[in-house]
Amino acid sequence: MVSEDLLELGLDLDRLSEDHLRKLWAEFRSIRVLEPHTRSIAIRIFVWYIVESKLFSSSAMRRSGAIGQSIATMRAWAADDPALEPVVVREAETIKLFLYQIFENAAAPRGTIVEAQKRLLKA
């Protein structure tokens, strides 16, 4: 089920406002037409919410670090189901680029930012 997969990726739908939830399910309907695989749908919705929707709120995440951990979860799914591999590769890169850009603007010493970006690129 997509909602369970979203929770496993770190997005807790119970923490979304009604408006955000409505927009997320509208996106689900449009993705569902294009993606036959339930986990592919969950991955694409998760990335849409985090990167594209402009709705992202860290309070909707299940745990601290959930965005980074989501890549490991996606890769584990792809290891069990090779049909997910192209979606996982594409969407993991999208998340990494998003996080890389966030790090670029972080209020932290430059060395810390560069180190975080290097680790992210290896993820």
Side-chain angles (χ1 to χ4, degrees), residues 43-74:
I43 290 167
R44 292 200 52 210
I45 289 172
F46 180 81
V47 174
W48 170 83
Y49 177 74
I50 302 299
V51 177
E52 300 170 27
S53 73
K54 308 291 190 237
L55 303 173
F56 176 68
S57 170
S58 60
S59 64
M61 303 312 290
R62 182 175 176 191
R63 61 192 173 276
S64 177
I67 296 174
Q69 183 61 37
S70 70
I71 295 172
T73 300
M74 289 181 216

Side-chain angles (χ1 to χ4, degrees), residues 46-58 61 66-68 70-71 90-106 117 120-121:
F46 180 81
V47 174
W48 170 83
Y49 177 74
I50 302 299
V51 177
E52 300 170 27
S53 73
K54 308 291 190 237
L55 303 173
F56 176 68
S57 170
S58 60
M61 303 312 290
I67 296 174
S70 70
I71 295 172
R90 181 184 65 239
E91 301 301 337
E93 288 303 313
T94 300
I95 290 171
K96 287 167 54 174
L97 178 60
F98 173 74
L99 292 175
Y100 189 92
Q101 291 169 341
I102 287 176
F103 292 156
E104 191 65 33
N105 298 316
Q117 288 173 325
L120 178 62
L121 290 174

